[in-house]
Amino acid sequence: MRLVTNEFVPLKNVKIDDGFWSKYTEIAKEKIIPYQWQAINDLVPDTEPSHAIKNFRIAAGLEQGEFDGYVFQDSDVAKWLEAVAYRLTIDPDDELEKTADEVIDLLEKAQDEDGYLMTYFQIKEPDKKFTNLLDCHELYCAGHMTEAAVAYYEATGKDKLLNIMCRFIDLIDKKIGPGENQLHGYPGHPELELALVRLYRVTGEERYLRLCEYMVNARGTEPHFFDEELKKRNGINLWGGYQERVDKRYNQSHKPIREQAEAVGHSVRAGYLYTGVADLAAETGDESLKKAAETLWDNITKKQMYITGGIGSQVHGEAFSFDYHLPNDSVYNETCAAISMVFFAQRMLRMNPDSKYADTMERLIYNATICGMALDGRHFFYTNPLSMWEEATKKAGVCGHIRSKRPGWFGCACCPPNLARMITSLGNYVYSAGDDTIYTHLYIGGEAEVNMPFGTVRISQRGNYPWDGRITFSVGEGRYTLALRIPAWARSFEIKVNGLKEKPEIRNGYACITRDWKADDSVYLNLPMPIEFIEANPLAREDNGRVAIQRGPVVYCLESADNGDKLDALRITDFNCFTEFKDESLFPGAVYIRGKALRRRDWEGGELYRPVVSGDEEEVEITALPYAFWDNREDTREMTVWLRR
Amino acid sequence: MRLVTNEFVPLKNVKIDDGFWSKYTEIAKEKIIPYQWQAINDLVPDTEPSHAIKNFRIAAGLEQGEFDGYVFQDSDVAKWLEAVAYRLTIDPDDELEKTADEVIDLLEKAQDEDGYLMTYFQIKEPDKKFTNLLDCHELYCAGHMTEAAVAYYEATGKDKLLNIMCRFIDLIDKKIGPGENQLHGYPGHPELELALVRLYRVTGEERYLRLCEYMVNARGTEPHFFDEELKKRNGINLWGGYQERVDKRYNQSHKPIREQAEAVGHSVRAGYLYTGVADLAAETGDESLKKAAETLWDNITKKQMYITGGIGSQVHGEAFSFDYHLPNDSVYNETCAAISMVFFAQRMLRMNPDSKYADTMERLIYNATICGMALDGRHFFYTNPLSMWEEATKKAGVCGHIRSKRPGWFGCACCPPNLARMITSLGNYVYSAGDDTIYTHLYIGGEAEVNMPFGTVRISQRGNYPWDGRITFSVGEGRYTLALRIPAWARSFEIKVNGLKEKPEIRNGYACITRDWKADDSVYLNLPMPIEFIEANPLAREDNGRVAIQRGPVVYCLESADNGDKLDALRITDFNCFTEFKDESLFPGAVYIRGKALRRRDWEGGELYRPVVSGDEEEVEITALPYAFWDNREDTREMTVWLRR
């Protein structure tokens, strides 16, 4: 029995019209997608050519040449197509669709007779297909292209790419499985798992679900597939070097998934894998898998997540390190990893509409994801520190992976298109419906059509979130429960229906109002947003003695541009002196926060150490801006989220 | 004109008899030196064989076999011989001397006809001598062996090793220099520079001083020697790989030494180089070189030195990072680097008896050097963090180079023998004399004979330093100035001569008492040692909001063994509640410190973040022990020097 208790309202039924997100959608539409198109066609000046489209043209026999780019270069085209699909869903555009169709025609031409489609192997090592699932991202690329195929089909009704990918997946299904002549393998970089469940859901083809199930269940079992595979390759890896052992924690194959109690390894791999696991549990009704997903979710969110929602606390392996180890300056926090957690949250919500999932999703979308992008839509962070000292990023190896300014498009361009697809598909994360309940998980303005057993319910949402916690809904006719998430950050809330106060029951963090709704009934939700000073669990040592500023779902930070250098010389002693104010210089409607702090005085003598001189501090005014907006001005020598108190 | 204003009383004239240092000397004599002998002869069970003596036997034709070990493996034999020389100086031992003589006989046999002596090249690549000064430590090994030769000659009067090394240096002098057919080179790892000055001082051979001068002046000039050398090797490095560029900052050849205002690169290389530069300035009278040494000294001690005296704040390149970047957990702080700073301090003192040099020397010997050694003399730290969280050392790459327990002897065994030579030669750092002044730089009990223009002055020193600041001197006859260092940490001091109070003039940090001393005049110095709470300059961000505990020259730390886990959940609010007490469980006479602190309470709910709950702390008692003694008990999960306040 499926474990799906509620289904998200699909993107095509949700129209976002929101002061905050419409601006981001605009950036994704007008900047990222066209820019990525230029990039994959090697048309961006002063940037390393991507070669992504060219690889397909070579594979299709339309051009001569060698493969170039990362082994997973094809996935850039996949992510572009997927983002285009969402973009066309929310805002049809004939010309863009024509371009996408041409790309799909090209993919069709590039596909081998037997369904195989990955230009690296087709062009460069045709005899090495399926010999290195560990390093070569073969199944990863298939996963991304399958996601694109599903999205494009859902967006346009056109099934050419879907058919292309079904043919490829059919080939993979032949190659991989429990049979004697099959590889008992699974992706070195998970992604295909969640894509297979999407493909199953749109095609209804049970084999795709079973293939996913096989891969998830085989992962981490003995004899270990990656050990065997490496042996077959005589230890030679993708880069031509000899490798003694496989780092199994890195790709989450160190033990079977049901025995994994801690999130480990490469954080993007982890996020995609866990999303696929949750998907599979939901569709197959496997309670033990659901339990595994829950355990990993709790581990991450209770022990390994930054206050922004970021995950992956170390550059070594771009990975989780261990429980409560959350360094703020040497962290990795890849933008893609945060995005993968949004997916994971949505899948958990489908099985269990508990607000803890949506709370984290909200934390992620307002902080750890969009911080990856400059407001010009042209510069991107791969890594997202919570504390940045420019000199250290340039001179200290420990922060060598951190950038003080977002670079332009980069060679391994995973994060920008991932942001594009998340932002353009955000409508798919707002509402869900199950039994007689319509859940509102996110407070994003716009309209939605919710299909209920008794018919379609229209809901509209209006407000000025995340700056203001007052939201107004207009709901459609029918007897159902409207479940409004009460965020964990809210210390109180107020609900009125048609102007009259309600005291609804709270179930799993949702205020549930059940009634015979009339057309255009209005619901008013007020989530007061005082300025909050947040402390971390004492086990999270890096934050001891520090506070972060949060207001509503928005985490704030201090930048040198407003507060001068030496941000760590500041400490907050009086929480009550802080006030909010509007500053629209970077973003319309944005709320900033200012207050007083003490700053350690510079030392005259220039000595490095001295006996404590108490009270050698001066009062200064400090200004905090939303973390997601940092580094949108010239002067970004320092930034910090956690302030000393 | 030489710039030497005072000369250190040589080791042979100083007898240490001191509660603190006699114990360390005992460890060096009874444990490290015999243990290293076993090690270089491959006799230590369960340890990778060193192969160091074997390499010499192979080079001497006494054994068949291949070279094994690091390229600089010979230096282990050199350091052993040097430590043995000091050991024989302070405590003659016929059997040990015989063993050393046999090693020297072996070196003689191993030496090539032309004077060349380095087993790596002799055995493995005889045609590649002097082709890779950058990587291959050829001049470094010559430097260490030259130091051993000088020390052994001074200890025993035997000149066989001295002659061996003169022959080798003569060869190097032919190969390297300004001539058309000479290499315009210098050591990739400095060390030979300071050794050449030692050799010059003992032999009087001017050429050795000129060779040092050539190397120091050539360093960092254009055309860059290492660039040219790399080109000649077609970019092939020691490890057989191709290398595009030379990291010149790493080995301090990024610019001429007189233009270097900041200490950069590999910290041990830096420490040895700067010592050699100071030596050269002193002997040649080169004021611009002296200025360079002073500039680098000030940069290190005012901007790049840990409170323990440790240097090298990053594992990347085992190097300095940049001014005021002093992370406590990811630091490198190699034991050898601290030792090199002791050498540097001594050389600066010779030119300028300013207490800042001796203060740092004292900081180093009581903290950053001996912390490298367990009190069993068998376990050693290579890296010395100021904050250690065992789980992070095992699971977080950023601390992956840090050990929670001192390992036994290791393959790259530079630090243990370096400690042995520093400890056994410590007598050479206590007193110096110049003009009519006898300087006491360190407060270490024992006797010394100081050669003054008018005759020999005997000085004896008695006390219980560093635990007690009361020191008594008995001095010999003559008219001279007795200059007693008043440490920068001392807030007050008291001096009595023959029981009567004195108010001596303070010159450059030394209390100077000039009089016609009578035999056995007694001088009493009292340096009160209250418990001090030290804060770091606000620019040293990692320490903002923290204090370190210091008493006299001893820096303290907290260990989990005394204080439980989560040391960072503690903060000190009341400085006055701290008291000292004696704890001799690890070390005779040791003074520990205890007091009250507040500890953040564990969170019941297990959440990771929450709005600040003020006052959720409990009062606990904490105990601090001398930093140098940490990790001498089983239970060492955490340690920290800097405590929150």
Side-chain angles (χ1 to χ4, degrees):
Chain A
M1 209 183 75
R2 290 171 81 225
L3 298 175
V4 180
T5 65
N6 62 107
E7 214 39 282
F8 275 80
V9 177
L11 184 58
K12 66 177 192 298
N13 291 0
V14 181
K15 186 179 153 44
I16 288 181
D17 179 9
D18 181 90
F20 190 89
W21 288 105
S22 293
K23 168 132 173 113
Y24 274 99
T25 308
E26 202 62 19
I27 294 173
K29 275 169 49 183
E30 302 301 327
K31 300 287 171 76
I32 310 181
I33 293 174
Y35 194 70
Q36 195 191 1
W37 176 246
Q38 304 273 314
I40 60 181
N41 283 282
D42 309 333
L43 300 171
V44 180
D46 305 324
T47 302
E48 231 180 299
S50 143
H51 220 265
I53 289 289
K54 195 163 182 168
N55 287 334
F56 279 106
R57 290 184 52 82
I58 294 167
L62 302 176
E63 241 182 78
Q64 295 291 311
E66 291 303 312
F67 177 89
D68 204 3
Y70 289 91
V71 66
F72 49 79
Q73 208 71 1
D74 289 5
S75 66
D76 278 8
V77 176
K79 284 184 197 162
W80 181 80
L81 277 171
E82 189 185 350
V84 166
Y86 302 136
R87 193 313 197 174
L88 294 175
T89 309
I90 60 178
D91 183 16
D93 177 323
D94 290 346
E95 202 185 331
L96 181 61
E97 187 169 334
K98 189 164 159 282
T99 306
D101 285 340
E102 287 165 7
V103 171
I104 292 166
D105 291 343
L106 174 63
L107 300 189
E108 192 180 37
K109 287 201 186 79
Q111 186 167 37
D112 285 351
E113 197 64 26
D114 64 356
Y116 191 89
L117 183 62
M118 176 160 166
T119 63
Y120 174 85
F121 285 103
Q122 293 176 286
I123 300 172
K124 201 167 171 178
E125 307 203 90
D127 54 336
K128 296 228 172 128
K129 290 169 188 170
F130 299 113
T131 61
N132 189 348
L133 302 187
L134 177 64
D135 301 327
C136 290
H137 291 69
E138 214 160 2
L139 304 182
Y140 168 87
C141 287
H144 270 304
M145 200 59 88
T146 300
E147 286 211 86
V150 171
Y152 202 73
Y153 172 71
E154 289 177 332
T156 63
K158 295 175 181 171
D159 64 1
K160 183 181 273 192
L161 185 55
L162 198 68
N163 292 331
I164 291 171
M165 289 319 296
C166 285
R167 283 199 295 277
F168 189 18
I169 300 298
D170 290 345
L171 175 68
I172 293 171
D173 190 38
K174 262 183 237 153
K175 290 281 177 192
I176 294 178
E180 212 171 307
N181 296 318
Q182 285 179 300
L183 296 172
H184 307 321
Y186 40 88
H189 192 315
E191 152 65 21
L192 183 57
E193 295 88 340
L194 74 92
L196 283 171
V197 178
R198 287 186 75 173
L199 187 63
Y200 156 73
R201 290 175 65 200
V202 78
T203 62
E205 175 54 72
E206 187 88 7
R207 274 189 303 111
Y208 300 147
L209 189 65
R210 294 305 152 209
L211 179 58
C212 171
E213 191 171 34
Y214 175 76
M215 289 176 173
V216 167
N217 288 336
R219 191 170 209 92
T221 58
E222 295 293 339
H224 201 285
F225 174 72
F226 290 137
D227 284 339
E228 309 274 308
E229 192 193 61
L230 189 68
K231 228 182 288 169
K232 276 195 218 156
R233 281 186 275 114
N234 299 314
I236 305 303
N237 61 27
L238 168 61
W239 303 271
Y242 175 79
Q243 185 175 335
E244 183 74 32
R245 282 177 311 148
V246 175
D247 181 355
K248 293 167 190 164
R249 288 170 68 90
Y250 175 74
N251 59 33
Q252 298 85 34
S253 70
H254 57 305
K255 45 175 116 165
I257 191 74
R258 290 172 187 79
E259 296 168 24
Q260 297 188 24
E262 255 181 73
V264 300
H266 187 259
S267 55
V268 179
R269 281 172 168 78
Y272 287 166
L273 174 63
Y274 306 156
T275 301
V277 165
D279 269 334
L280 184 65
E283 298 301 334
T284 59
D286 187 326
E287 289 283 356
S288 66
L289 260 190
K290 181 184 174 204
K291 184 83 191 57
E294 284 169 346
T295 300
L296 289 162
W297 174 273
D298 285 350
N299 174 260
I300 295 174
T301 54
K302 291 185 174 173
K303 297 180 180 171
Q304 300 204 69
M305 182 172 267
Y306 286 84
I307 191 171
T308 56
I311 57 166
S313 51
Q314 62 175 339
V315 62
H316 303 78
E318 308 175 350
F320 292 101
S321 54
F322 61 97
D323 290 352
Y324 299 111
H325 182 245
L326 296 163
N328 293 302
D329 59 349
S330 62
V331 54
Y332 204 72
N333 267 0
E334 186 174 335
T335 307
C336 287
I339 293 169
S340 76
M341 284 300 294
V342 175
F343 302 158
F344 189 18
Q346 188 208 37
R347 304 322 203 265
M348 296 309 284
L349 277 170
R350 271 180 87 221
M351 292 192 279
N352 178 14
D354 185 311
S355 67
K356 71 178 181 182
Y357 300 116
D359 282 345
T360 297
M361 192 156 83
E362 181 179 83
R363 187 189 288 278
L364 285 156
I365 62 170
Y366 286 104
N367 302 290
T369 57
I370 52 171
C371 63
M373 183 169 97
L375 293 168
D376 68 1
R378 292 281 169 95
H379 297 85
F380 303 89
F381 278 138
Y382 203 93
T383 56
N384 295 282
L386 273 76
S387 162
M388 192 284 296
W389 178 12
E390 189 177 45
E391 201 169 0
T393 67
K394 297 192 167 147
K395 298 183 181 169
V398 73
C399 298
H401 58 293
I402 302 289
R403 296 282 161 269
S404 59
K405 301 293 294 176
R406 291 180 184 82
W409 205 266
F410 25 86
C412 176
C414 57
C415 299
N418 229 347
L419 273 168
R421 69 173 177 147
M422 185 199 87
I423 292 167
T424 50
S425 67
L426 199 63
N428 202 14
Y429 297 81
V430 183
Y431 302 100
S432 70
D435 293 332
D436 60 348
T437 304
I438 298 175
Y439 295 94
T440 306
H441 302 294
L442 297 175
Y443 296 112
I444 296 179
E447 320 274 332
E449 289 181 5
V450 187
N451 290 323
M452 296 296 284
F454 55 81
T456 298
V457 173
R458 287 174 178 282
I459 291 192
S460 82
Q461 191 182 148
R462 287 282 169 278
N464 187 25
Y465 209 80
W467 316 119
D468 191 323
R470 291 168 297 182
I471 305 135
T472 313
F473 297 86
S474 168
V475 300
E477 205 172 346
R479 179 167 184 85
Y480 56 90
T481 300
L482 182 68
L484 302 174
R485 180 174 59 93
I486 306 302
W489 55 256
R491 298 220 193 182
S492 66
F493 68 95
E494 183 191 13
I495 289 178
K496 289 182 190 166
V497 175
N498 296 328
L500 298 174
K501 278 205 178 167
E502 281 271 332
K503 279 271 171 218
E505 188 192 348
I506 303 289
R507 288 203 296 260
N508 292 329
Y510 291 79
C512 296
I513 317 161
T514 307
R515 56 192 284 165
D516 289 310
W517 298 95
K518 306 281 168 261
D520 300 324
D521 270 354
S522 90
V523 179
Y524 168 81
L525 169 66
N526 183 12
L527 300 167
M529 289 184 174
I531 299 163
E532 297 276 12
F533 294 87
I534 307 294
E535 60 184 1
N537 191 306
L539 293 165
R541 300 167 201 225
E542 314 276 342
D543 303 328
N544 266 319
R546 293 174 181 271
V547 292
I549 304 175
Q550 191 175 326
R551 182 176 172 279
V554 177
V555 174
Y556 284 76
C557 70
L558 263 61
E559 269 197 303
S560 50
D562 303 302
N563 303 288
D565 285 348
K566 293 173 286 174
L567 296 179
D568 228 48
L570 294 167
R571 70 185 173 109
I572 298 184
T573 51
D574 175 13
F575 295 143
N576 297 318
C577 71
F578 283 79
T579 55
E580 59 191 61
F581 66 100
K582 200 177 268 194
D583 183 326
E584 306 200 292
S585 55
L586 292 177
F587 200 94
V591 171
Y592 286 36
I593 290 167
R594 73 160 69 97
K596 301 228 179 288
L598 295 179
R599 177 190 277 281
R600 292 184 71 194
R601 286 204 177 85
D602 291 344
W603 289 9
E604 300 286 327
E607 66 275 51
L608 192 45
Y609 306 106
R610 73 176 185 194
V612 167
V613 175
S614 287
D616 194 14
E617 295 169 309
E618 58 192 341
E619 196 178 85
V620 294
E621 183 161 276
I622 61 172
T623 300
L625 82 164
Y627 171 72
F629 299 162
W630 85 276
D631 184 34
N632 275 289
R633 291 170 293 177
E634 274 305 302
D635 180 6
T636 313
R637 294 182 309 279
E638 292 188 35
M639 181 279 293
T640 190
V641 170
W642 289 98
L643 294 164
R644 291 194 304 118
R645 51 185 292 207
Chain B
M1 212 184 73
R2 290 173 81 225
L3 298 175
V4 180
T5 65
N6 62 110
E7 211 43 279
F8 275 81
V9 177
L11 183 58
K12 67 176 191 296
N13 291 359
V14 181
K15 187 179 150 48
I16 288 181
D17 178 10
D18 181 89
F20 190 89
W21 287 105
S22 293
K23 170 132 172 113
Y24 275 99
T25 308
E26 202 61 20
I27 294 172
K29 274 168 51 181
E30 302 301 326
K31 302 285 171 79
I32 308 181
I33 292 175
Y35 194 71
Q36 195 192 0
W37 176 246
Q38 304 273 313
I40 60 181
N41 283 282
D42 308 335
L43 300 170
V44 180
D46 306 326
T47 303
E48 232 181 299
S50 146
H51 221 266
I53 289 288
K54 197 166 180 165
N55 288 334
F56 279 106
R57 291 182 53 80
I58 295 167
L62 302 175
E63 243 183 76
Q64 295 291 311
E66 291 302 313
F67 176 90
D68 204 3
Y70 289 91
V71 67
F72 49 79
Q73 208 72 0
D74 291 3
S75 66
D76 279 7
V77 176
K79 284 185 197 161
W80 182 80
L81 278 172
E82 188 184 351
V84 166
Y86 302 137
R87 199 295 201 190
L88 295 175
T89 309
I90 60 176
D91 183 16
D93 178 322
D94 289 346
E95 204 186 329
L96 181 60
E97 188 168 333
K98 192 166 155 278
T99 306
D101 285 339
E102 287 165 8
V103 171
I104 292 166
D105 290 343
L106 174 63
L107 299 189
E108 193 180 38
K109 288 200 186 79
Q111 187 167 35
D112 285 350
E113 197 64 27
D114 64 356
Y116 191 88
L117 182 62
M118 176 160 166
T119 63
Y120 173 85
F121 285 102
Q122 293 176 285
I123 301 172
K124 203 167 171 178
E125 307 202 272
D127 55 335
K128 297 229 172 124
K129 291 169 188 168
F130 299 112
T131 61
N132 188 346
L133 302 187
L134 177 64
D135 301 328
C136 289
H137 292 67
E138 215 159 1
L139 305 181
Y140 168 85
C141 288
H144 271 303
M145 200 59 87
T146 300
E147 285 210 87
V150 171
Y152 202 73
Y153 171 71
E154 289 176 333
T156 63
K158 295 176 181 170
D159 63 1
K160 185 182 273 189
L161 185 55
L162 198 67
N163 291 332
I164 292 171
M165 291 316 296
C166 284
R167 283 199 295 275
F168 190 19
I169 300 296
D170 290 344
L171 176 69
I172 293 171
D173 190 37
K174 262 183 239 152
K175 292 280 177 190
I176 294 177
E180 213 171 306
N181 295 318
Q182 286 179 299
L183 296 172
H184 307 321
Y186 40 86
H189 192 315
E191 153 65 20
L192 183 57
E193 296 87 341
L194 72 94
L196 283 172
V197 179
R198 287 186 75 173
L199 187 63
Y200 157 73
R201 290 175 63 200
V202 78
T203 61
E205 177 54 74
E206 186 89 5
R207 275 191 301 115
Y208 301 147
L209 189 64
R210 294 306 151 210
L211 180 57
C212 170
E213 191 172 34
Y214 176 76
M215 288 175 172
V216 167
N217 288 336
R219 192 170 209 92
T221 58
E222 295 292 339
H224 201 285
F225 174 72
F226 290 137
D227 284 340
E228 308 276 307
E229 193 194 61
L230 188 69
K231 228 182 288 168
K232 277 194 215 155
R233 282 186 275 113
N234 299 313
I236 305 303
N237 60 27
L238 168 62
W239 304 271
Y242 175 79
Q243 185 175 331
E244 183 76 30
R245 280 176 313 148
V246 175
D247 181 354
K248 293 168 190 163
R249 287 170 68 89
Y250 175 73
N251 60 32
Q252 297 85 34
S253 70
H254 56 305
K255 47 174 113 162
I257 191 73
R258 291 172 187 78
E259 294 168 25
Q260 297 188 25
E262 255 182 74
V264 301
H266 186 259
S267 54
V268 180
R269 282 173 167 76
Y272 287 165
L273 175 63
Y274 306 157
T275 302
V277 165
D279 269 333
L280 184 65
E283 298 300 333
T284 59
D286 187 326
E287 289 283 356
S288 66
L289 260 189
K290 181 183 172 204
K291 184 84 193 61
E294 284 168 347
T295 301
L296 289 162
W297 174 273
D298 285 349
N299 174 260
I300 294 175
T301 55
K302 291 185 173 173
K303 296 180 180 171
Q304 301 206 67
M305 181 171 268
Y306 286 84
I307 190 171
T308 57
I311 57 166
S313 52
Q314 61 175 338
V315 61
H316 303 78
E318 308 175 350
F320 292 100
S321 54
F322 61 97
D323 290 352
Y324 300 110
H325 182 244
L326 296 163
N328 292 303
D329 59 349
S330 62
V331 54
Y332 204 72
N333 266 0
E334 186 174 335
T335 307
C336 287
I339 293 170
S340 76
M341 285 300 292
V342 175
F343 303 157
F344 189 19
Q346 189 209 36
R347 303 326 201 263
M348 296 308 284
L349 277 171
R350 272 181 88 220
M351 293 192 279
N352 178 12
D354 185 312
S355 67
K356 71 179 182 182
Y357 300 116
D359 282 345
T360 297
M361 192 157 82
E362 182 180 81
R363 189 189 287 278
L364 285 156
I365 63 170
Y366 287 104
N367 303 289
T369 57
I370 52 172
C371 63
M373 183 170 95
L375 292 169
D376 68 2
R378 293 281 169 94
H379 296 84
F380 302 90
F381 278 139
Y382 204 93
T383 56
N384 295 281
L386 273 76
S387 162
M388 193 284 297
W389 178 12
E390 189 176 43
E391 200 168 1
T393 66
K394 298 192 167 145
K395 298 181 181 169
V398 72
C399 298
H401 58 293
I402 301 290
R403 296 284 160 268
S404 59
K405 301 293 292 175
R406 290 181 185 82
W409 206 266
F410 24 85
C412 177
C414 57
C415 299
N418 230 345
L419 274 168
R421 70 172 178 148
M422 184 199 87
I423 292 167
T424 49
S425 67
L426 200 63
N428 203 12
Y429 298 80
V430 183
Y431 303 100
S432 70
D435 293 330
D436 60 348
T437 305
I438 298 175
Y439 295 94
T440 306
H441 303 294
L442 296 176
Y443 295 113
I444 296 180
E447 320 275 331
E449 288 181 6
V450 187
N451 290 324
M452 297 297 283
F454 55 83
T456 298
V457 173
R458 285 175 180 280
I459 291 192
S460 83
Q461 189 182 150
R462 289 282 168 278
N464 188 26
Y465 209 80
W467 315 121
D468 190 323
R470 290 169 298 180
I471 305 134
T472 313
F473 298 86
S474 169
V475 300
E477 207 172 343
R479 179 165 185 87
Y480 57 89
T481 299
L482 182 68
L484 301 174
R485 180 176 58 94
I486 306 303
W489 56 256
R491 298 221 195 182
S492 66
F493 69 95
E494 184 190 9
I495 289 178
K496 288 181 190 167
V497 175
N498 296 327
L500 298 174
K501 277 203 180 170
E502 283 271 333
K503 280 269 170 221
E505 190 193 345
I506 303 288
R507 289 205 295 261
N508 292 329
Y510 291 78
C512 297
I513 317 162
T514 307
R515 55 192 285 164
D516 290 310
W517 297 94
K518 306 282 169 260
D520 300 326
D521 271 354
S522 91
V523 179
Y524 168 82
L525 170 66
N526 182 13
L527 300 166
M529 288 184 172
I531 299 162
E532 297 276 12
F533 294 88
I534 308 294
E535 60 184 0
N537 191 306
L539 293 165
R541 300 166 202 227
E542 314 277 342
D543 303 327
N544 266 318
R546 293 175 181 270
V547 291
I549 303 175
Q550 191 175 326
R551 183 177 170 279
V554 177
V555 174
Y556 284 75
C557 71
L558 263 60
E559 269 198 301
S560 50
D562 303 301
N563 304 290
D565 286 347
K566 292 172 285 174
L567 295 179
D568 228 48
L570 294 167
R571 71 184 172 107
I572 298 183
T573 51
D574 175 13
F575 295 143
N576 297 318
C577 71
F578 282 79
T579 55
E580 58 191 60
F581 66 101
K582 200 176 268 193
D583 184 325
E584 305 201 293
S585 55
L586 292 177
F587 200 94
V591 171
Y592 286 37
I593 289 167
R594 73 160 69 96
K596 302 227 179 289
L598 296 179
R599 178 190 277 282
R600 293 184 70 193
R601 286 204 177 84
D602 291 344
W603 289 9
E604 300 286 326
E607 65 275 50
L608 192 44
Y609 304 106
R610 73 177 185 194
V612 166
V613 175
S614 287
D616 194 14
E617 294 168 309
E618 57 193 340
E619 196 178 82
V620 294
E621 184 162 276
I622 60 171
T623 299
L625 83 165
Y627 171 73
F629 299 162
W630 84 277
D631 185 34
N632 274 290
R633 291 171 293 178
E634 275 306 304
D635 180 7
T636 313
R637 295 183 307 279
E638 291 188 35
M639 181 278 294
T640 190
V641 169
W642 290 98
L643 295 163
R644 291 195 302 117
R645 50 186 291 207

